[in-house]
Amino acid sequence: MKNFDIIVIGGGPGGYIAAIRAAQLGFNVACIDEWKNSKGGPAPGGTCTNVGCIPSKALLQSSEHFEQAGHHFAEHGIGLKDLSIDVPKMLARKDTVVKQNNDGILYLFKKNKVTFFHGRGSFVKAADGGYGIKVSGAAEESLSAKQVIVATGSNARALPGAPFDEELILSNDGALRIGGVPKKLGLIGSGVIGLEMGSVWRRLGADVTILEGLPTFLGAVDEQIAKEAHKAFSKQGLKIELGVKVGEIKTGKKGVSIAYSDAKGAEHKLEVDKLIVSIGRVPNTNGLNAEAVGLQLDERGAIVVDDDCRTNLPGVWAVGDVVRGPMLAHKAEEEGVAVAERIAGQHGHVNFNTVPWVIYTSPEIAWVGQTEQQLKAAGRAYKAGTFPFMANGRARALGDTTGMVKFLADAATDEILGVHIVGPFASELIAEAVVAMEFKASAEDIARICHAHPSLSEATKEAALAVDKRTLNF
Ligand code: FAD
Ligand code: NAI
């Protein structure tokens, strides 16, 4: 039996960051993760590193280069003959990027003296004011600790009657491994994965149709921003059908056939070579043996935690996708850090009001704080200011003028309540808004700050000025 101060089960962004922070705080820490690379070796980093954030961004980058070369280089006077895409090479690059991240985490474990176990971690029993944990994998180990952090993540949700085979019906895993550009690609769910993966394969030449159950596009996004994004995606040729009801899904030699009714009730059949199902994710507690210690789960299978990530068991904490809240890597990381600090008697804190969201499409969509529709529903008096990238010099020079920055501020105090961006590098621009909101800045604070020229960030300053109806360049 090996004894540790803290055992972390799961080595995704929630788990591996919790382990590193706990080790920094002087604890003797073990992290157990079962993810295997193609050779059966350890591949820490979880969904995010292996089949999520990192590989999807690698493919978005490759496909965006292809799109630029095919459609936009000419306007710069750059001529190309025989443009082609080598999909296996693109996938190999993506795999290299993933491996660099896996290796980086193993290096960080060594550097911080975190003991890593490759295998499945499961509860055995509560004993001596702590917990016995079994590691099953290449080698079996028995561990114990007074504190356990569960960070076992989530899995893709399948449609009833259409299990993932990762050949024709794909989860995010298969969607990141398609070996050649499909002629026709179908997706169910126009959420974050649907839009990102749909964009990758559309840019590479697939005819992409996304079937979405809800009548509104990106319902959680500020309506004005979602409308602008929808317009841009439609112009690019991404077909998005809203308000559909998906019926029977059949696979055959020719691909996948999806029966569905549209928003008006008319029946259709969509025939595609491959189908990606991206209808959300479910918390993963498979193999954790939660019952052995009475760890409480909710009806969705998520581990029940309080605001501080405490479970119903003393000394057992849970973070990331396996608990409530947005399923985002940076949210998981912040919770991991906060829990390690709480175990050390510090006051770890996560501000859920300032967790940013980014959708890495082109244009990118990013936001933090409340949307206009949320403020209206809450009856909060607010002022809005927008600034279009069309009027920004850097955006014109980049040749990417789609979209806008939008500020929402309290009508009386001018405190920033939400910032919403659709446009180039929204993923980077949103950081300024997060900082501003963390410091409870007013729109005027941002409007008075000197922003470099020419830069996209000037659109942020101008949108803040727009709250007071005094833009300078529009
Ligand atoms: P995970 O990353 O799922 O890690 C859990 C780990 O625990 C896994 O390695 C798993 O194998 C391991 N595990 C589970 N059970 C056990 C056990 N019993 N014993 C040992 N190990 C176990 N989020 C963003 O913020 N930005 C993005 O751009 C982004 N892109 C995404 C793209 C896709 C296609 C997908 C699917 C997700 C994306 N996400 C993104 C979401 C992000 O991946 C998750 O929010 C994040 O990975 C959650 O981290 P986690 O540590 O909670 O869980
Ligand atoms: P999602 O929740 O973003 O979107 C799912 C979509 O599917 C919704 O629009 C929903 O209305 C629709 N849907 C659900 N059931 C349906 C049905 N039966 N028929 C038709 N439509 C249906 O989930 P998604 O895209 O699977 O991603 C999962 C999570 O992974 C995201 O919520 C996010 O937390 C994370 N993620 C984050 C990324 C980022 O930060 N850039 C990128 C990709 C994923």
Side-chain angles (χ1 to χ4, degrees), residues 57 157 159 188-194 196 211-214 246 278-281 327-328 357-360:
K57 266 79 254 180
R157 187 156 77 85
L159 270 174
I188 299 180
S190 70
V192 199
I193 296 180
E196 290 188 356
L211 302 177
E212 165 60 46
L214 290 178
V246 174
S278 48
I279 56 167
R281 297 179 62 81
M327 288 185 169
L328 295 173
W357 275 84
V358 178
I359 307 178
Y360 293 82

Side-chain angles (χ1 to χ4, degrees), residues 96-115:
T96 304
V97 174
V98 167
K99 185 167 185 314
Q100 286 165 345
N101 282 272
N102 297 141
D103 292 348
I105 296 167
L106 289 171
Y107 161 78
L108 290 171
F109 281 159
K110 262 201 190 127
K111 180 181 156 196
N112 289 282
K113 302 193 171 50
V114 171
T115 308

Side-chain angles (χ1 to χ4, degrees), residues 359-407:
I359 307 178
Y360 293 82
T361 41
S362 179
E364 292 185 345
I365 306 166
W367 71 97
V368 58
Q370 303 194 62
T371 61
E372 198 162 349
Q373 58 267 28
Q374 282 173 328
L375 293 176
K376 273 187 188 147
R380 180 118 185 218
Y382 66 91
K383 300 176 284 182
T386 58
F387 187 82
F389 283 108
M390 188 72 85
N392 174 271
R394 183 76 196 281
R396 286 196 203 112
L398 285 172
D400 196 354
T401 53
T402 312
M404 70 182 90
V405 180
K406 172 172 180 175
F407 265 63

Side-chain angles (χ1 to χ4, degrees), residues 185 200 223 244 297 390 400 415 442:
L185 176 68
V200 165
E223 258 172 41
V244 309
L297 309 182
M390 188 72 85
D400 196 354
E415 181 184 340
S442 62

Side-chain angles (χ1 to χ4, degrees), residues 42-108:
T47 302
C48 173
T49 301
N50 293 293
V51 291
C53 326
I54 301 299
S56 61
K57 266 79 254 180
L59 295 190
L60 279 157
Q61 189 62 48
S62 301
S63 59
E64 183 59 17
H65 283 321
F66 185 70
E67 171 102 342
Q68 289 293 325
H71 299 282
H72 303 289
F73 275 14
E75 64 205 53
H76 294 265
I78 303 170
L80 272 176
K81 275 194 192 131
D82 304 329
L83 180 67
S84 66
I85 178 76
D86 180 341
V87 172
K89 196 163 179 181
M90 175 183 82
L91 296 183
R93 174 188 176 272
K94 178 239 350 172
D95 292 341
T96 304
V97 174
V98 167
K99 185 167 185 314
Q100 286 165 345
N101 282 272
N102 297 141
D103 292 348
I105 296 167
L106 289 171
Y107 161 78
L108 290 171

